[in-house]
């Protein structure tokens, strides 16, 4: 159907051939995908999967060349480290130790602390040991900041013990184990995994404050398999605490680095809200416009964006923009947002001199949205203004008196009603004085 998701469908179709053991067709479709969608967000996924399929077919030369294409053409991909590591493992499994070591050292140098670098170091160790060159291994590993050579065995044992508890879903024991690991091996072989899993355990246990430093450790490492999820979770933690100062920079990173469109949308929609809460209405509107430009968002998120635009415009006295935003919102809004949009429809019609039309809308609020008393009360104040302009001062003052008497919980509305009532009484007093004379 040539839809916007055609590349996604084509990629999943190719992958699915693998699930039904049609690897030749899988390879054919992946190769066609790479030619057809070279700029797709799934292009690096396709190349990596194609390389893996060649490995499974024992076609090592094509696997290596496919990984080379990924490395050369998608330098920022999270699959680059994995691809170089795969090349090293292919060489290693074919007893080509020298080119294997070159690949493993490249991973360690360019992606320090990543899971791939740790596997590269571990496999390189086997090569050095097999070749009787343990000293060379030791000298090389000492140059790596993320490996503590002298404690490697203890490092592995401590981590494996904690990981076992984690895999068995023994949360308390896993927290104790991982906490001990990161305390004793802050730059250990498994520091990345340990910090991420520890953060996840704390988050699941609603100990978000404890999780923060461990998520921060993960996002401060070179890009890795946990980066995006750690960014998303750290955003959640800061937003839950209403700590917008800390949330905003993390949300910006998530927006720029997310591979998943849902995470990018999540970042942009929450940046919109965070800037609004900080009264930075210009940035709030910029991000609201980004959200509204996404044709894949649902009406709930679209409503949030439109209300931010509308409220920001009201705050900055840009009534023309506010009117349009509330008009757009009214098309999809439900519940309280619909009541708010209707109120502003009545408000702007009053300003335009359409008093009877404005009153009709206020009546609609009272009838269809009676549960939202705040906008019902504000609507009554607008109705009073309409009646006064329609020369019915008795009805206007009656409504304002009613608002003051019955909506004391809404202090801003009561103050507005009192102000309007005072204006009417002042004008009426002038009129009466003139008639008496």
């Amino acid at each position: 159907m040539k839809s916007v998701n055609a590349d996604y469908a084509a990629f999943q179709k190719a992958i699915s051939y693998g699930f039904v053991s049609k690897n030749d067709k899988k390879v054919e479709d992946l190769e066609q995908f790479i030619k057809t969608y070279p700029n797709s967000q799934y292009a690096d996924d396709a190349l990596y999967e194609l390389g893996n399929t060649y490995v499974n077919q024992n076609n090592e030369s094509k696997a290596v060349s496919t990984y080379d294409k990924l490395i050369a053409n998608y330098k920022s991909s999270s699959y680059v480290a994995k691809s170089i590591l795969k090349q090293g493992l292919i060489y290693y499994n074919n007893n080509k130790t020298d080119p294997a070591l070159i690949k493993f050292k490249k991973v360690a140098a360019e992606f320090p602390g990543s899971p791939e670098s740790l596997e590269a170091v571990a496999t390189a160790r086997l090569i050095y040991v097999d070749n009787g060159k343990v000293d060379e291994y030791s000298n090389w590993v000492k140059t790596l900041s993320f490996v503590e050579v002298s404690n490697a065995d203890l490092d592995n044992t401590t981590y494996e013990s904690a990981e076992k508890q984690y895999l068995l879903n023994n949360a308390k024991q896993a927290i104790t184990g991982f906490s001990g690991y990161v305390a004793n091996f802050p730059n250990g072989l498994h520091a990345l995994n340990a910090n991420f899993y520890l953060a996840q355990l704390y988050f699941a246990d609603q100990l978000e404050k404890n999780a923060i430093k461990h998520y921060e450790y993960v996002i401060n490492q070179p890009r890795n398999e946990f980066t995006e999820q750690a960014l998303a979770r750290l955003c959640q933690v800061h937003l839950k605490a209403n700590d917008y100062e800390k949330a905003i920079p993390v949300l910006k990173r998530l927006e720029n680095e997310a591979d998943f469109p849902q995470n990018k949308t999540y970042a942009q929609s929450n940046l919109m809200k965070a800037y609004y809460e900080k009264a930075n209405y210009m940035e709030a509107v910029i991000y609201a416009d980004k959200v509204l430009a996404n044709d894949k968002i649902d009406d709930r998120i679209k409503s949030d964006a439109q209300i931010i635009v509308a409220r920001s415009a009201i705050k900055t006295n840009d009534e023309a923009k506010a009117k349009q935003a509330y008009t757009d919102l009214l098309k999809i809004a439900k519940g309280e947002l619909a009541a708010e949009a209707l109120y502003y429809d009545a408000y702007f019609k009053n300003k335009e001199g359409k008093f009877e039309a404005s009153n009709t809308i206020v009546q609609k609020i009272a009838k269809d949205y009676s549960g939202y008393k705040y906008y019902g009360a504000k609507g009554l104040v607008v109705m009073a203004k309409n009646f006064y302009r329609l020369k019915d001062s008795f009805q206007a003052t009656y409504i304002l008196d009613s608002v003051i008497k019955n909506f004391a919980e809404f202090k801003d509305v009561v103050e507005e009603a009192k102000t309007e009532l005072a204006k009417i009484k002042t004008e009426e007093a002038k009129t009466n004085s003139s008639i008496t004379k």
Side-chain angles (χ1 to χ4, degrees):
M1 294 173 69
K2 298 181 181 180
S3 76
V4 292
N5 291 318
D7 59 337
Y8 175 78
F11 175 67
Q12 292 295 350
K13 176 171 171 282
I15 294 297
S16 296
Y17 279 118
F19 297 146
V20 293
S21 301
K22 294 184 179 180
N23 281 335
D24 289 341
K25 184 61 177 170
K26 177 182 178 181
V27 167
E28 179 184 335
D29 273 28
L30 285 172
E31 288 179 335
Q32 184 59 45
F33 179 94
I34 293 159
K35 293 176 184 176
T36 307
Y37 304 102
N39 298 318
S40 168
Q41 68 181 34
Y42 307 107
D44 57 337
D45 300 76
L47 278 168
Y48 185 68
E49 190 63 35
L50 181 58
N52 293 346
T53 307
Y54 281 135
V55 170
N56 293 335
Q57 293 180 329
N58 297 316
N59 193 339
E60 286 88 2
S61 60
K62 279 200 170 184
V64 170
S65 63
T66 301
Y67 292 136
D68 277 334
K69 287 180 184 177
L70 193 159
I71 295 163
N73 297 327
Y74 303 92
K75 293 180 173 61
S76 63
S77 170
S78 59
Y79 292 114
V80 170
K82 296 178 186 293
S83 296
I84 301 171
L85 176 64
K86 289 273 189 178
Q87 290 177 323
L89 292 172
I90 290 170
Y91 291 135
Y92 173 70
N93 291 328
N94 285 278
N95 296 316
K96 298 178 181 179
T97 56
D98 289 338
L101 280 175
I102 290 172
K103 294 294 182 181
F104 294 144
K105 288 186 175 182
K106 183 177 177 65
V107 174
E110 295 182 5
F111 305 92
S114 67
E116 292 77 21
S117 70
L118 300 177
E119 186 173 350
V121 171
T123 312
R125 177 182 178 277
L126 297 177
I127 294 174
Y128 279 116
V129 170
D130 288 344
N131 292 339
K133 298 179 180 179
V134 176
D135 288 342
E136 286 185 27
Y137 169 76
S138 178
N139 291 334
W140 169 57
V141 176
K142 285 178 181 177
T143 66
L144 305 177
S145 61
F146 57 93
V147 179
E148 296 176 9
V149 182
S150 59
N151 294 322
D153 289 339
L154 182 57
D155 179 311
N156 285 325
T157 303
T158 305
Y159 175 76
E160 288 166 12
S161 174
E163 186 184 44
K164 182 177 181 180
Q165 297 301 321
Y166 180 73
L167 295 174
L168 291 171
N169 292 319
N170 295 330
K172 288 185 178 180
Q173 294 90 327
I175 288 175
T176 300
F178 285 132
S179 296
Y181 179 88
V182 298
N184 292 310
F185 303 98
N187 298 308
L189 290 165
H190 309 284
L192 176 65
N193 292 53
N195 275 280
F196 180 72
Y197 293 143
L198 186 53
Q200 292 287 79
L201 288 163
Y202 280 135
F203 186 90
D205 209 22
Q206 298 185 349
L207 297 171
E208 289 91 349
K209 289 185 178 180
N210 292 355
I212 291 174
K213 68 177 181 180
H214 300 292
Y215 281 132
E216 288 179 340
Y217 177 92
V218 174
I219 67 173
N220 288 330
Q221 303 308 304
R223 184 178 175 84
N224 56 76
E225 63 183 300
F226 303 125
T227 302
E228 186 168 346
Q229 192 174 355
L231 284 169
R233 280 289 168 84
L234 193 54
C235 291
Q236 287 180 260
V237 172
H238 291 321
L239 289 170
K240 184 178 179 181
N242 294 323
D243 192 340
Y244 300 114
E245 286 290 340
K246 291 181 179 177
I248 286 173
V250 185
L251 286 165
K252 283 189 171 182
R253 272 197 62 183
L254 182 62
E255 178 194 17
N256 294 327
E257 299 179 27
D259 287 330
F260 291 96
Q262 299 95 323
N263 281 335
K264 186 179 287 287
T265 300
Y266 171 83
Q268 290 174 342
S269 61
N270 280 288
L271 278 165
M272 162 186 85
K273 295 173 185 176
Y275 279 123
Y276 181 81
E277 292 298 327
K278 287 180 62 60
N280 188 337
Y281 302 119
M282 184 177 294
E283 287 291 332
V285 170
I286 288 172
Y287 275 97
D289 288 339
K290 284 185 180 183
V291 171
L292 291 170
N294 184 349
D295 58 3
K296 295 182 181 179
I297 61 172
D298 60 33
D299 283 350
R300 179 182 59 81
I301 298 175
K302 191 177 292 185
S303 292
D304 289 344
Q306 287 172 336
I307 200 65
I308 290 291
V309 173
R311 289 173 179 172
S312 296
I314 290 292
K315 295 283 188 182
T316 55
N317 297 316
D318 188 348
E319 293 202 339
K321 190 177 184 77
K323 181 183 177 183
Q324 184 58 54
Y326 276 117
T327 299
D328 293 338
L329 177 65
L330 198 54
K331 298 173 184 176
I332 59 172
K334 297 178 182 179
E336 188 172 11
L337 289 182
E340 181 177 347
L342 282 169
Y343 162 73
Y344 277 102
D345 191 14
Y347 169 87
F348 287 120
K349 280 184 168 55
N350 167 268
K351 284 206 155 193
E352 294 164 359
K354 300 174 181 178
F355 306 121
E356 291 181 354
S358 178
N359 276 347
T360 300
I361 295 167
V362 174
Q363 289 168 353
K364 180 177 177 62
I365 297 172
K367 178 184 176 183
D368 298 338
Y369 298 91
S370 58
Y372 306 105
K373 293 184 178 180
Y374 178 72
Y375 289 107
K378 285 178 73 67
L380 288 174
V381 175
V382 171
M383 179 177 272
K385 293 180 183 179
N386 291 331
F387 276 121
Y388 186 66
R389 296 296 298 274
L390 290 168
K391 310 301 183 183
D392 190 342
S393 57
F394 174 79
Q395 189 73 359
T397 55
Y398 176 81
I399 291 172
L400 292 171
D401 280 330
S402 177
V403 170
I404 294 167
K405 180 180 179 182
N406 296 311
F407 295 97
E409 68 268 34
F410 306 127
K411 292 183 179 180
D412 60 320
V413 180
V414 170
E415 286 302 314
E416 185 182 6
K418 288 179 177 178
T419 300
E420 290 301 320
L421 186 59
K423 286 181 183 178
I424 291 173
K425 288 182 176 180
T426 299
E427 291 298 318
E428 289 298 301
K430 290 180 182 177
T431 302
N432 291 337
S433 175
S434 176
I435 291 172
T436 302
K437 288 178 181 179

